[in-house]
Amino acid sequence: QVQLVESGGGLVQAGGSLRLSCVASGRTFSRYAMGWFRQAPGKEREFVAAISSSGATTYYLASVKGRFTISRDNAKNTVYLQMNSLKSDDTAAYYCAARSTSTAAVTTRLYDYWGQGTQVTISS
């Protein structure tokens, strides 16, 4: 069992930056691929970014590529999402997820564990 706790959300002006963090419980974090997803009101949860267990492979939603960076520190059981040049369309609840395999994935149903989410609100 893996428990995930996100932090770092908040209210920021368009063009600003935020860094989200997700801390995982357990001693096997380095074996899990990790992902970030988001869900805006009235919309389905969508993939944002994913990273393999080693950190060697990353994937991004097209609309965030070049603005967002996913990274991980296996010694700290933590995955990060650095978000720059934020836009109003980025407003959503952001969720961290873990997959019980080393390979990153972009599909929601392939992830086994989810955090409670952290709200990101971008003001224009």
Side-chain angles (χ1 to χ4, degrees):
Q1 189 76 7
V2 175
Q3 292 185 327
L4 305 172
V5 179
E6 303 98 332
S7 62
L11 173 65
V12 65
Q13 288 188 332
S17 298
L18 282 173
R19 188 175 83 155
L20 305 183
S21 299
C22 173
V23 179
S25 65
R27 294 177 290 179
T28 58
F29 176 75
S30 62
R31 300 179 187 175
Y32 289 84
M34 301 296 295
W36 285 98
F37 294 77
R38 67 186 181 187
Q39 188 168 17
K43 295 187 177 181
E44 292 188 355
R45 191 168 297 189
E46 69 173 353
F47 165 78
V48 175
I51 189 167
S52 62
S53 60
S54 68
T57 301
T58 56
Y59 299 113
Y60 293 95
L61 177 68
S63 63
V64 308
K65 200 168 187 179
R67 300 189 298 122
F68 291 11
T69 302
I70 188 170
S71 62
R72 65 190 296 159
D73 185 338
N74 286 344
K76 295 183 178 180
N77 280 17
T78 303
V79 62
Y80 304 98
L81 186 67
Q82 177 66 44
M83 306 187 294
N84 299 329
S85 303
L86 284 161
K87 306 175 181 179
S88 57
D89 287 349
D90 296 320
T91 294
Y94 282 72
Y95 297 88
C96 171
R99 187 170 184 231
S100 302
T101 182
S102 61
T103 306
V106 304
T107 306
T108 306
R109 63 178 175 82
L110 294 179
Y111 284 81
D112 303 299
Y113 304 100
W114 293 83
Q116 294 299 306
T118 185
Q119 180 65 37
V120 172
T121 304
I122 311 303
S123 63
S124 56

